[in-house]
């Protein structure tokens, strides 16, 4: 067991902070520097989104969530890989690049230069399009939860403009960054359904729940009223329900309106207050919305949820409380040890009695849970996360972590001491290839000839290596991530620590 000494801690923090340097360059190329082999069955395109610029013409953003969105695409076929990164040409990005200075206030803390007078009563938000990527029906959207999505060309990543989804969204309507895909929707004869939501915030909140078919046609839309301010980043779905966790945060908009702080800096944790689990019906025949009190905390992301009769199981990454970045703090000097770690926690809710039980799986700090796409909303066994290198305490995300929720077994692949990981994306091995036992560079493994298991696939993650100030795309065998990468694809430049990604089986080669 290695203890992190203060001096080493400083190095770790400066390494991590360097991963938040802006990446102003855009590239497109065949990836040539590959350690190991890209599995020949890996077929499709990985999209990742995150802040690409952490400054505007030298003025640093105050919070990485305010950075301009940059989408990365890596397409795979026959062991070859093609890379591209492009900024989303949002109205704000184009205007600020032209002006050579910040013109907007960021939601999470970035103020325009000039102090509070320059910021007072400027309530325009900059849609930075930096949070999620949604490939669906041949369309590619860059998502930002407080406004409309931007549509991109899925091959070139050129920005095609705001996408209001054929009139489903009105100007300014929100479309969240955390959609989920029901692999077999009971309301659509077992066809897949894309479930997403949008919040219209205020003293009370309108929550719009949208569902789309595989051709991106709206098949369900329900609006729910929540009688207070709500800050909801993610949703979990089951066949019958859409589930939200409303955390105990209050919102004080006055300092924002006066220009003293940004919109999200008006959020404050309310210690001692409960969280609320909001259970919404996906279909009117399911019944009315319901709400349940649980011990307070803060959740950004859910791993999954499923139904067991009238019991709901919801797995999420829970923090003791919400932590913002106050106006005087530079996020690059954040003290990880002083912040509460996120822990993977199961909430078991009896819908009849309202009884709730919670169980934390492990003490390791973690974020960005993902799973096999066919298990969304269903009982499942394996979850994969980005995690801290140390088994306890808080720290930057440096490892890819697999948990077997049935047996409790776990595996870890760590990029520490100088590597930092992004959210992993799980890609199932194509069923036909797995059944046929097709030969691939990673064959020779006796498990290859068994029938497909829930963890039969790959984990794709961008890894920032501070030693080289470059990022790599790492491909792990999801069955045995601790064995280390099957392939490590060198990009030759760094990608700032990002947010969310997605995989589509479509290949976009030039
Ligand atoms: Co998120």
């Amino acid at each position: 067991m290695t203890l992190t000494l203060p001096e080493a801690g400083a190095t770790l923090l400066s390494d991590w902070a360097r991963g938040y340097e802006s990446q102003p360059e855009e590239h497109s190329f065949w990836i040539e520097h590959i350690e190991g082999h890209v599995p020949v069955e890996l077929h499709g395109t990985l999209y990742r989104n995150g802040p690409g610029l952490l400054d505007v013409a030298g003025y640093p953003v105050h919070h990485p969530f305010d950075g301009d969105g940059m989408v990365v695409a890596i397409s795979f076929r026959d062991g070859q890989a093609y890379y591209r990164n492009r900024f989303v040409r949002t109205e704000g990005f184009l205007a600020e690049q032209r002006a050579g200075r910040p013109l907007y206030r960021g939601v999470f803390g970035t103020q325009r230069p000039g102090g509070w007078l320059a910021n007072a009563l400027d309530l325009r938000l900059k849609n930075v399009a930096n949070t999620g990527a949604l490939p669906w029906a041949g369309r590619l959207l860059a998502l930002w939860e407080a406004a409309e999505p931007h549509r991109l060309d899925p091959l070139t990543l050129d920005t095609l403009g705001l996408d209001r989804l054929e009139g489903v969204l009105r100007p300014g309507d929100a479309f969240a960054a955390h959609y989920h895909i029901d692999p077999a929707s009971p309301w659509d004869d077992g066809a897949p359904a894309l479930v997403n939501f949008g919040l219209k915030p205020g003293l009370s909140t309108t929550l719009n729940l949208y569902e789309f078919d595989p051709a991106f046609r709206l098949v369900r839309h329900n609006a729910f009223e929540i009688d207070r301010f709500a800050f909801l980043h993610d949703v979990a779905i089951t066949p019958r329900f859409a589930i939200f966790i409303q955390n105990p945060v209050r919102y004080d908009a006055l300092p924002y309106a006066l220009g003293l702080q940004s919109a999200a800096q008006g959020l404050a944790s309310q210690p001692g207050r409960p969280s609320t689990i909001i259970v919404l019906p996906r279909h009117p025949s399911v019944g009315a919305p319901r709400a349940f009190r649980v011990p307070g905390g803060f959740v950004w992301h859910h791993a999954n949820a499923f139904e067991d009769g009238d019991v709901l199981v919801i797995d999420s990454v829970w923090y003791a409380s919400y932590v913002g970045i106050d106006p005087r703090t530079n996020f690059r000097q954040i003290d990880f040890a002083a912040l509460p770690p996120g822990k993977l926690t199961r909430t078991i809710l009896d819908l009849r009695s309202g009884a709730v039980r919670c169980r934390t799986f492990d003490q390791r700090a973690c974020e960005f849970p993902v799973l096999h796409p066919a298990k969304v909303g269903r009982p499942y066994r394996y979850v994969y996360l980005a995690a801290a290198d140390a088994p306890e305490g808080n720290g930057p995300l440096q490892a890819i972590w697999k948990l077997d929720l049935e047996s409790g077994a776990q595996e870890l692949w760590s990029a520490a001491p100088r590597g930092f990981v992004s959210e992993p994306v799980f890609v199932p091995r194509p069923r036909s290839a797995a059944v046929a036992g097709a030969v691939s560079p990673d064959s020779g493994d006796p498990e290859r000839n068994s029938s497909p298991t829930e963890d039969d696939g790959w984990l794709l993650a961008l890894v920032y290596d501070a030693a080289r100030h470059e990022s790599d795309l790492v491909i792990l065998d999801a069955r045995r991530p601790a064995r280390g990468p099957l392939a490590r694809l060198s990009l030759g430049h760094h990608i700032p620590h990002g947010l969310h990604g997605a995989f589509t089986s479509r290949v976009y080669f030039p």
Side-chain angles (χ1 to χ4, degrees):
M1 168 70 45
T2 313
L3 287 173
T4 303
L5 303 172
E7 214 174 75
T11 306
L12 180 70
L13 185 63
S14 55
D15 276 355
W16 173 80
R18 221 177 150 210
Y20 272 129
E21 281 183 12
S22 291
Q23 176 52 269
E25 303 294 326
E26 296 179 319
H27 302 270
S28 49
F29 52 84
W30 293 98
I31 300 176
E32 290 178 356
H33 299 283
I34 301 175
E35 267 176 47
H37 297 279
V38 177
V40 291
E41 297 160 276
L42 178 58
H43 184 105
T45 303
L46 172 73
Y47 291 109
R48 297 217 48 87
N49 199 352
L53 288 184
L54 285 306
D55 69 277
V56 177
Y59 295 96
V61 300
H62 189 79
H63 194 298
F65 294 174
D66 287 338
D68 288 302
M70 186 181 81
V71 172
V72 167
I74 305 178
S75 260
F76 303 91
R77 186 170 64 203
D78 301 328
Q80 288 191 297
Y82 190 84
Y83 171 89
R84 197 186 295 269
N85 73 308
R86 291 276 281 170
F87 281 93
V88 185
R89 263 66 177 172
T90 65
E91 188 186 333
F93 173 86
L94 291 173
E96 289 183 333
Q97 293 303 309
R98 266 197 305 269
R101 63 192 167 88
L103 300 173
Y104 291 80
R105 304 169 63 186
V107 173
F108 283 89
T110 305
Q111 299 278 30
R112 297 189 322 191
W116 72 271
L117 256 179
N119 287 291
L121 304 176
D122 181 357
L123 304 183
R124 288 180 310 157
L125 295 180
K126 181 183 174 192
N127 179 348
V128 285
N130 69 1
T131 316
L134 168 57
W136 188 251
R139 202 179 294 202
L140 174 63
L141 302 180
L143 305 176
W144 185 68
E145 68 192 13
E148 302 103 312
H150 283 78
R151 185 167 177 177
L152 310 182
D153 182 297
L155 165 64
T156 64
L157 303 183
D158 286 344
T159 303
L160 305 175
L162 291 176
D163 192 335
R164 299 206 173 96
L165 310 175
E166 285 76 46
V168 171
L169 304 177
R170 289 161 299 178
D173 274 357
F175 195 65
H178 281 280
Y179 60 91
H180 291 275
I181 295 167
D182 183 337
S185 166
W187 315 109
D188 306 291
D189 299 323
L194 167 70
V195 183
N196 201 6
F197 67 101
L199 296 181
K200 208 175 279 291
L203 294 177
S204 75
T205 304
T206 304
L207 190 159
N208 286 296
L209 192 63
Y210 304 106
E211 302 206 16
F212 300 87
D213 73 6
F216 227 138
R217 287 181 300 237
L218 186 73
V219 288
R220 277 174 295 288
H221 173 208
N222 289 297
F224 301 92
E225 292 299 322
I226 300 170
D227 66 353
R228 70 187 77 155
F229 169 76
F231 180 48
L232 306 170
H233 178 67
D234 194 4
V235 58
I237 60 167
T238 69
R240 288 189 294 166
F241 303 111
I243 302 149
F244 295 84
I245 295 186
Q246 160 74 51
N247 304 289
V249 288
R250 63 183 169 73
Y251 187 64
D252 181 0
L254 191 59
Y256 168 60
L258 291 177
L260 297 172
Q261 63 183 21
S262 72
Q265 283 168 338
L267 288 172
S269 187
Q270 295 179 293
R273 298 279 304 272
S275 290
T276 306
I277 298 183
I278 300 169
V279 181
L280 303 180
R282 285 180 52 197
H283 191 274
S285 67
V286 172
R290 299 178 68 188
F292 301 87
R293 292 286 167 87
V294 291
F298 189 84
V299 171
W300 290 106
H301 299 127
H302 304 292
N304 197 19
F306 59 89
E307 301 171 26
D308 180 6
D310 279 318
V311 172
L312 266 187
V313 178
I314 310 152
D315 293 340
S316 319
V317 176
W318 278 86
Y319 296 80
S321 62
Y322 172 78
V323 179
I325 296 179
D326 75 50
R328 293 171 302 279
T329 306
N330 179 349
F331 76 86
R332 291 175 178 82
Q333 286 154 15
I334 220 162
D335 178 6
F336 277 96
L339 300 177
K343 294 177 188 174
L344 184 68
T345 301
R346 172 160 288 184
T347 304
I348 301 168
L349 167 63
D350 187 322
L351 291 170
R352 288 188 181 211
S353 67
V356 174
R357 282 182 295 138
C358 298
R359 173 186 154 215
T360 299
F361 284 105
D362 197 278
Q363 294 303 309
R364 188 181 295 274
C366 59
E367 250 305 347
F368 299 132
V370 298
L371 73 157
H372 192 300
K375 296 293 180 180
V376 171
R378 275 78 183 163
Y380 72 122
R381 180 166 178 183
Y382 299 111
V383 62
Y384 314 91
L385 303 106
D389 181 60
E392 287 184 33
N394 203 4
L397 302 173
Q398 294 192 275
I400 302 296
W401 189 31
K402 174 188 182 183
L403 269 91
D404 180 337
L405 301 174
E406 278 178 17
S407 73
Q410 46 176 287
E411 276 203 30
L412 187 89
W413 174 76
S414 179
R418 303 202 70 186
F420 301 85
V421 305
S422 66
E423 170 197 69
V425 170
F426 176 85
V427 181
R429 187 189 303 270
R431 184 178 299 261
S432 55
V435 170
V439 177
S440 73
D442 62 340
S443 65
D445 179 341
E447 293 168 54
R448 286 282 298 106
N449 292 324
S450 59
S451 59
T453 55
E454 189 187 314
D455 58 352
D456 192 6
W458 306 280
L459 295 166
L460 275 49
L462 286 173
V463 178
Y464 169 68
D465 179 7
R468 295 179 292 133
H469 190 48
E470 288 183 7
S471 296
D472 299 328
L473 189 276
V474 161
I475 302 172
L476 298 165
D477 183 339
R479 293 168 304 177
R480 290 291 150 77
R483 287 183 184 172
L486 298 170
R488 191 166 184 133
L489 289 69
S490 168
L491 305 183
H493 60 270
H494 84 287
I495 306 293
H497 305 304
L499 292 166
H500 299 292
F503 192 86
T504 170
S505 59
R506 296 182 189 227
V507 174
Y508 293 100
F509 278 175

